[in-house]
Amino acid sequence: MTHTLISRWYLKPGREAEARAALSSLAEAVLAEEPGTLAYLVHEPCGASLPAAPAGEVTFYEVYADEAAFSAHVSGPVFTGFLKRHGALFEQNFPPNSGPFMTVSTLKRAAGFVRPGSPDGAG
């Protein structure tokens, strides 16, 4: 059974461009090195959001082959290395230096589809 989640992180003001470049590199490394990661999409708000999205918010939509693949991601060298190199680009948990502040929601699909050949990588 797949393991799906949404996570939200918050870019530090003044570090947005650097963080976006780092996130792009992270997504490329996950694609190249983590075959159990089926989807790894990083989004920023655009247009109208209800309620309005906080400044600097980025949303990750992630799908893993199973919980073991998710565990391999969060404990593996790609993600842990990213945190060591780029964690300071994001708002931090308290106490300081304990890692980026994030919210995480694990999801169970209730309905819907991904159209084969869609721009989000299916098919």
Side-chain angles (χ1 to χ4, degrees):
M1 172 180 266
T2 61
H3 184 80
T4 303
L5 63 92
I6 291 176
S7 179
R8 287 186 173 83
W9 295 30
Y10 302 89
L11 309 178
K12 277 193 177 170
R15 309 288 303 269
E16 295 91 351
E18 190 179 354
R20 287 181 188 110
L23 289 167
S24 181
S25 294
L26 171 62
E28 290 172 9
V30 169
L31 174 63
E33 299 181 36
E34 297 181 5
T37 304
L38 306 179
Y40 199 82
L41 303 169
V42 183
H43 293 82
E44 292 184 87
C46 68
S49 296
L50 296 173
E57 180 182 87
V58 291
T59 301
F60 293 75
Y61 174 77
E62 305 171 37
V63 181
Y64 299 90
D66 51 30
E67 287 190 40
F70 170 69
S71 292
H73 168 72
V74 296
S75 64
V78 171
F79 187 69
T80 59
F82 173 83
L83 290 177
K84 286 178 188 168
R85 289 186 307 279
H86 304 292
L89 300 174
F90 303 92
E91 296 293 346
Q92 298 291 298
N93 279 321
F94 187 81
N97 300 317
S98 61
F101 173 78
M102 65 183 80
T103 63
V104 179
S105 298
T106 302
L107 306 172
K108 180 175 97 176
R109 186 180 301 178
F113 64 92
V114 176
R115 197 175 300 278
S118 71
D120 284 340

